[in-house]
């Protein structure tokens, strides 16, 4: 990833923009990662409107692209490598808890399933957010992903 | 005898220190861990944290500012609390060359990729030629011991250790991650030279069994003492009880949880005022079976994947139930037990039923209506089992799973099992989490908002001592990310004994004592929810 915009570090307006962006990303992360989501988590994302569309579009594009891969563990995406490590650690604990677990589920099968489910969640929630937002920009991001035009 | 009693009381008093006062507000986000000093591993590795970009973080590629390492972004680390020089950082994805050019003025390399960080503030300047995210694993170096006057090491007293990270760009905080660890004594243990003991009989498993004891000792009533072991375990000197509640609850990996609560039964006659009593506990009953009816209601194009997912979920749940000494086994989780709904029209009907129900009844108010609708489909809903549906319903995107207890007033006794829905995008532990709800367990680690909308942590501090009692690795933690792998002993007891647990409402655990122990209730028969055996 690289940045296309060079800015003065001390530009107060841009600093404020970046602050907003960080805050927006926090709202998005909470929605992407909630399990039994609490009331208002999706609504908070929708309230951000077009400001959060680029991030939603990126999440949707990347998750759609990755889900099409045969082997997720081979992907260079850092987030996936991290999630794979977490899944491997879980697998080791589960195997300690019950010796039969290893016979029932192979490690690569467990890790792959975990990664796909994470991506499915990201994909579904990003798509739902864009759809419910219903702005011209969100519709364009959604259409772009569906047609493959936005693929990184 | 008198000298022995005084000695035992003295030892016990030593091992029940007051908790230190609250040192910092409970963190809303980040890692929280609770450890027992004497039983912790030599080096405790904490969950790693990502610094930099991730799928959802976007970072430089969609930012108006280039906050890359190349442009001077740095990581600031602050270590504070009761323990000196206990923390090191392991850099997981830097090459040897990048490690060489890593700049941490206060740090000291103790391994190729591991740097010891002193207490106070330190700065990590990432090599400017590095792009992407960095994965850092904090490691807590044990043992926490300090020299004594006589040269013998002594265990460090309990305390809290904080490790806080901030990613800084041009004095602007881009992100933060916090780790808070409470290093505790090992609970109110009375494993001393006072010579009473419990003996686990018929304990053939390779993992220790756990006993929770209430009773009377020479200095008064004690409640919820936890001990674990393979066969005979010293527990201090219990007395013949006159004024204290007596009971023992035994947990083992391959046996049912057993409550011994009758103070008049033979089981208690072994406690005398003299030290040297041995209390036998026969581990006899196999684990209680919870039957599941797992239905796969998804279209054929994703059926194979969802079937594989359901098998993994079932195996994961079995391991978790066993490893956490829940005393419960699940039936109906094998591949050949799973019911594939099959016909496209019926799959569609089920998902159509669920979609509006999820949307319109998010609090499960009308679950009975849904159950009746599902029952019309014939065989889809089994009232004798916990019904779990794998669905592809679009409405389950935001709330993938829900245990909805059926209304007992509308169901014949023993048939009110409720339903669980597993949407696509769940994790391998979501299935177990929902079963936890069916077994009466509530979420831990909720984020609540006050009337002004200010967020505060709730559902963490069950013993009201100002400490968070659970980490995010607890099965009933409210959110991702995994791994959520553990139930506490306090949760295991509730899952079995609560009147509202499906084991009891569904008549799967018959003739055993039941209780009413909601999450925050703590009394002589309800241990604190977070009680655990370390």
């Amino acid at each position: 990833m690289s940045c296309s915009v060079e800015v003065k570090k001390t530009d107060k307006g841009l600093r404020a923009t970046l602050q907003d962006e960080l805050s927006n990303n926090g709202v998005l992360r909470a929605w992407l990662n909630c399990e039994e989501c609490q009331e208002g988590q999706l609504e908070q994302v929708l309230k951000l409107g077009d400001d959060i569309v680029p991030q939603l579009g990126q999440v949707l594009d990347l998750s759609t692209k990755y889900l099409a891969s045969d082997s997720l563990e081979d992907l260079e995406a850092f987030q996936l490598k991290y999630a794979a490590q977490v899944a491997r650690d879980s697998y080791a604990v589960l195997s300690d808890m019950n010796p039969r677990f290893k016979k029932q589920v192979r490690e690569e099968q467990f890790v792959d399933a975990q990664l796909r489910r994470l991506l499915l969640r990201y994909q579904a929630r990003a798509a739902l957010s864009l759809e419910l937002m219903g702005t011209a920009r969100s519709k364009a991001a959604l259409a772009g992903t569906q047609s493959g035009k936005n693929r990184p | 005898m008198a000298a022995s009693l005084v000695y035992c009381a003295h030892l016990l008093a030593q091992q029940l220190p007051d908790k230190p006062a609250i040192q910092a507000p409970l963190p809303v986000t980040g890692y929280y861990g609770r450890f027992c000093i004497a039983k912790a591993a030599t080096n405790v590795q904490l969950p790693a944290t990502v610094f930099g970009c991730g799928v959802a973080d976007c970072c430089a590629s969609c930012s108006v500012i280039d906050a890359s390492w190349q442009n001077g972004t740095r990581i600031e680390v602050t270590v504070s609390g009761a323990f000196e020089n206990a923390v090191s950082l392991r850099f997981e994805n830097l090459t040897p060359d990048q490690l060489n050019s890593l700049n941490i003025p206060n740090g000291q390399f103790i391994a190729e990729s591991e740097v010891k960080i002193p207490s106070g503030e330190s700065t990590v300047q990432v090599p400017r030629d590095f792009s992407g995210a960095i994965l850092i694993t904090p490691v807590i170096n044990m043992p926490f011991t300090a020299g004594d006057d006589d040269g013998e090491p002594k265990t460090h007293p309990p305390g809290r250790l904080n490790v806080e990270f901030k990613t800084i760009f041009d004095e602007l905080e881009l992100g933060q991650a916090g780790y808070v660890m409470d290093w505790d004594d090992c609970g109110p243990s009375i494993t001393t030279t006072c010579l009473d003991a419990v003996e686990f009989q018929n304990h053939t498993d390779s993992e220790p069994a756990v006993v929770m004891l209430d009773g009377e000792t020479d200095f008064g009533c004690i409640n919820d003492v936890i001990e674990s072991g393979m066969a005979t375990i010293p527990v201090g000197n219990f007395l013949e009880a006159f004024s204290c509640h007596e009971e023992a609850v035994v947990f083992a990996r391959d046996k049912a949880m057993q409550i011994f609560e009758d103070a008049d039964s033979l089981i208690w006659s072994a406690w005398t005022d003299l030290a040297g009593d041995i209390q036998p506990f026969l581990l006899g009953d196999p684990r209680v079976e919870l039957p599941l009816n797992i239905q796969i209601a998804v279209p054929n194009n994703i059926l194979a994947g969802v079937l594989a997912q359901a098998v993994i979920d079932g195996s994961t749940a079995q391991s978790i139930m066993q490893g956490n000494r829940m005393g419960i086994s699940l039936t109906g989780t094998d591949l050949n037990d799973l019911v594939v709904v099959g016909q496209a029209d019926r799959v569609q009907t089920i998902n159509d039923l669920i979609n509006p129900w999820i949307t319109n009844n998010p609090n499960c108010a009308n679950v009975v209506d849904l159950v009746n609708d599902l029952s019309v489909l014939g065989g889809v809903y089994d009232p004798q089992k916990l019904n779990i549906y794998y669905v592809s319903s679009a409405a389950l995107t935001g709330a993938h799973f829900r245990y909805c207890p059926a209304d007992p007033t509308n169901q014949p006794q023993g048939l009110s099992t409720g339903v669980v829905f597993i949407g696509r995008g769940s994790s391998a532990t979501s299935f177990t989490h929902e079963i936890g709800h069916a077994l009466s367990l509530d979420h831990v680690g909720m984020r609540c908002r006050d009337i002004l909308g200010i967020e505060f942590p709730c559902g963490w501090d069950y013993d009201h001592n100002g400490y968070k009692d659970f980490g995010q690795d607890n099965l009933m933690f409210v959110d991702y990310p995994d791994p959520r792998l553990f139930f506490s002993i306090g949760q295991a007891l509730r899952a079995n004994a609560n009147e509202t647990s499906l084991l009891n409402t569904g008549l799967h655990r018959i003739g055993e004592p039941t209780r009413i122990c909601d999450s925050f209730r703590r009394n002589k028969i309800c241990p604190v929810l977070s009680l655990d055996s370390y």
Side-chain angles (χ1 to χ4, degrees):
Chain A
M1 290 182 173
S2 62
C3 181
S4 55
V5 186
E6 191 67 27
V7 296
K8 286 183 182 176
K9 290 182 181 179
T10 50
D11 187 313
K12 286 182 182 174
L14 284 170
R15 284 167 62 99
T17 305
L18 181 57
Q19 195 80 67
D20 287 346
E21 186 179 292
L22 290 165
S23 167
N24 294 353
N25 284 351
V27 170
L28 176 58
R29 266 198 303 275
W31 157 239
L32 291 176
N33 290 316
C34 58
E35 182 170 44
E36 287 164 280
C37 300
Q38 295 174 45
E39 205 171 328
Q41 282 185 299
L42 169 60
E43 287 71 18
Q44 279 186 304
V45 172
L46 299 181
K47 267 187 198 169
L48 298 175
D50 283 347
D51 287 349
I52 201 71
V53 166
Q55 287 93 324
L56 283 168
Q58 190 190 40
V59 171
L60 181 57
D61 290 339
L62 286 173
S63 51
T64 303
K65 174 188 164 191
Y66 294 158
L67 279 168
S69 303
D70 288 336
S71 175
L72 296 175
E73 281 199 78
D74 292 341
L75 292 174
E76 283 304 307
F78 187 83
Q79 191 87 352
L80 285 185
K81 288 196 174 300
Y82 174 57
Q85 186 55 52
V86 170
R88 275 193 290 273
D89 291 345
S90 298
Y91 184 86
V93 173
L94 291 164
S95 301
D96 282 345
M97 286 178 166
N98 175 9
R100 279 180 298 181
F101 183 73
K102 272 187 175 176
K103 294 176 185 168
Q104 293 164 337
V105 184
R106 287 177 291 109
E107 185 183 51
E108 55 270 30
Q109 184 188 5
F110 183 82
V111 173
D112 187 74
Q114 288 288 75
L115 297 183
R116 288 190 190 280
R117 292 161 98 162
L118 179 137
L119 290 169
L120 276 168
R121 185 171 77 247
Y122 277 23
Q123 183 192 45
R125 292 188 181 180
L128 181 69
S129 306
L130 288 168
E131 189 182 335
L132 292 176
M133 207 172 278
T135 66
R137 207 172 166 198
S138 71
K139 285 177 184 170
L142 198 54
T145 297
Q146 283 165 351
S147 67
K149 283 180 187 170
N150 290 350
R151 297 275 173 85
Chain B
M1 186 64 190
S4 168
L5 291 180
V6 170
Y7 176 63
C8 290
H10 172 67
L11 283 176
L12 189 53
Q14 274 191 330
Q15 293 180 22
L16 294 168
D18 291 336
K19 300 273 185 181
I22 300 172
Q23 296 164 14
L26 297 174
V28 175
T29 58
Y31 172 85
Y32 174 77
R34 187 164 165 258
F35 301 92
C36 157
I37 293 171
K39 295 181 182 175
T42 307
N43 287 314
V44 176
Q45 182 181 317
L46 302 176
T49 291
V50 178
F51 297 88
C53 307
V55 168
D57 289 338
C58 219
C59 294
S61 71
C62 57
S63 170
V64 292
I65 288 181
D66 181 2
S68 64
W69 308 120
Q70 192 176 9
N71 217 6
T73 298
R74 65 187 188 278
I75 301 168
E76 289 187 356
V77 192
T78 305
V79 177
S80 61
F83 304 93
E84 297 289 333
N85 300 317
V87 179
S88 59
L89 307 179
R90 205 165 63 216
F91 294 84
E92 304 285 3
N93 62 328
L94 296 184
T95 64
D97 283 347
Q98 288 165 340
L99 283 165
N100 277 336
S101 51
L102 196 61
N103 184 9
I104 309 175
N106 297 334
Q108 176 196 355
F109 273 91
I110 58 172
E112 188 184 359
S113 61
E114 191 168 329
V115 181
K116 193 154 198 162
I117 300 289
S119 295
E121 293 181 6
S122 302
T123 300
V124 177
Q125 199 72 60
V126 177
R128 287 187 173 236
D129 63 345
F130 183 81
S131 63
I134 284 182
L135 183 60
I136 300 178
T137 299
V139 179
I140 311 304
N141 303 292
M142 301 288 283
F144 291 158
T145 55
D148 206 347
D149 290 344
D150 58 6
E152 292 294 317
K154 64 179 182 182
T155 304
H156 198 292
R160 177 173 280 193
L161 177 61
N162 301 282
V163 184
E164 189 181 1
F165 294 91
K166 288 180 181 172
T167 318
I168 305 287
F169 169 74
D170 189 25
E171 308 314 316
L172 185 64
E173 190 180 309
L174 298 180
Q176 62 161 334
Y179 294 74
V180 178
M181 290 142 281
D182 284 327
W183 295 86
D184 215 339
D185 57 81
C186 297
S189 170
I190 51 172
T191 304
T192 70
T193 52
C194 312
L195 293 175
D196 283 351
V198 298
E199 182 181 74
F200 297 126
Q201 297 179 340
N202 196 29
H203 179 229
T204 54
D205 190 40
S206 58
E207 287 294 312
V210 171
V211 63
M212 184 185 82
L213 292 165
D214 292 357
E216 188 159 339
T217 67
D218 33 325
F219 69 99
C221 303
I222 64 167
N223 202 25
D224 304 336
V225 167
I226 285 274
E227 293 293 349
S228 64
M230 301 302 292
T232 304
I233 311 166
V235 293
N237 188 29
F238 278 80
L239 310 178
E240 186 177 355
F242 287 100
S243 56
C244 301
H245 176 252
E246 276 192 322
E247 76 169 9
V249 187
V250 180
F251 305 84
R253 199 167 69 159
D254 59 349
K255 297 284 168 52
M257 183 198 82
Q258 286 180 277
I259 299 178
F260 302 91
E261 64 179 356
D262 184 356
D264 294 324
S265 74
L266 287 177
I267 198 75
W268 292 112
S269 65
W271 291 142
T272 70
D273 289 351
L274 298 175
D277 300 331
I278 295 180
Q279 188 71 258
F281 292 109
L282 179 63
L283 306 186
D285 296 334
R287 291 183 287 158
V288 178
E289 288 188 350
L290 176 63
L292 308 180
N293 172 37
I294 302 175
Q295 304 262 332
I296 313 293
V298 300
N300 279 333
N301 62 327
I302 60 169
L303 178 61
V306 175
L307 273 173
Q309 177 181 325
V311 169
I312 292 173
D313 290 354
S315 297
T316 300
Q318 297 281 24
S319 290
I320 288 170
M321 290 291 167
Q322 192 164 348
N324 286 285
R325 301 184 182 87
M326 296 291 280
I328 300 165
S329 71
L330 308 171
T331 62
T333 60
D334 291 341
L335 180 60
N336 55 10
D337 295 324
L338 307 183
V339 179
V340 177
V341 172
Q343 301 98 317
D345 56 341
R346 187 180 276 195
V347 167
Q348 191 62 49
T349 305
I350 291 174
N351 281 283
D352 286 348
L353 275 173
I354 291 167
N355 271 325
W357 183 79
I358 291 288
T359 308
N360 299 327
N361 301 290
N363 294 316
C364 302
N366 297 322
V367 67
V368 174
D369 292 341
L370 177 70
V371 165
N372 289 336
D373 288 340
L374 291 170
S375 297
V376 171
L377 293 170
V380 171
Y381 178 82
D382 186 337
Q384 305 287 351
K385 299 176 179 176
L386 176 59
N387 292 273
I388 298 177
Y389 300 87
Y390 281 80
V391 294
S392 52
S393 157
L396 278 173
T397 304
H400 287 302
F401 342 92
R402 186 166 291 137
Y403 168 66
C404 297
D407 181 353
T409 61
N410 287 345
Q411 292 282 324
Q413 177 68 24
L415 300 183
S416 54
T417 61
V419 289
V420 171
F421 297 117
I422 308 279
R424 302 191 75 208
S426 58
S427 83
T429 57
S430 304
F431 179 94
T432 320
H433 174 98
E434 293 311 309
I435 292 175
H437 285 316
L439 296 172
S440 81
L441 301 179
D442 297 327
H443 285 147
V444 301
M446 295 286 285
R447 290 180 305 276
C448 300
R449 288 180 187 276
D450 63 18
I451 53 171
L452 298 175
I454 298 169
E455 197 171 72
F456 68 99
C458 57
W460 284 116
D461 183 15
Y462 292 89
D463 53 8
H464 308 294
N465 67 351
Y467 285 71
K468 285 171 81 172
D469 297 331
F470 288 103
Q472 295 180 9
D473 55 2
N474 188 272
L475 252 307
M476 300 316 292
F477 181 62
V478 69
D479 281 347
Y480 301 104
D482 274 336
R484 295 175 301 180
L485 295 166
F486 302 104
F487 285 116
S488 67
I489 288 293
Q491 288 172 317
L493 183 137
R494 284 168 173 79
N496 281 275
N498 264 349
E499 285 184 358
T500 52
S501 166
L502 181 58
L503 293 185
N504 299 310
T505 60
L507 305 184
H508 305 299
R509 178 178 172 271
I510 299 171
E512 297 294 327
T514 58
R515 298 190 170 168
I516 303 172
C517 296
D518 59 40
S519 292
F520 280 95
R521 185 165 297 185
R522 185 185 189 187
N523 56 31
K524 62 185 182 182
I525 62 167
C526 299
V528 66
L529 187 73
S530 52
L531 183 75
D532 215 344
S533 60
Y534 291 102

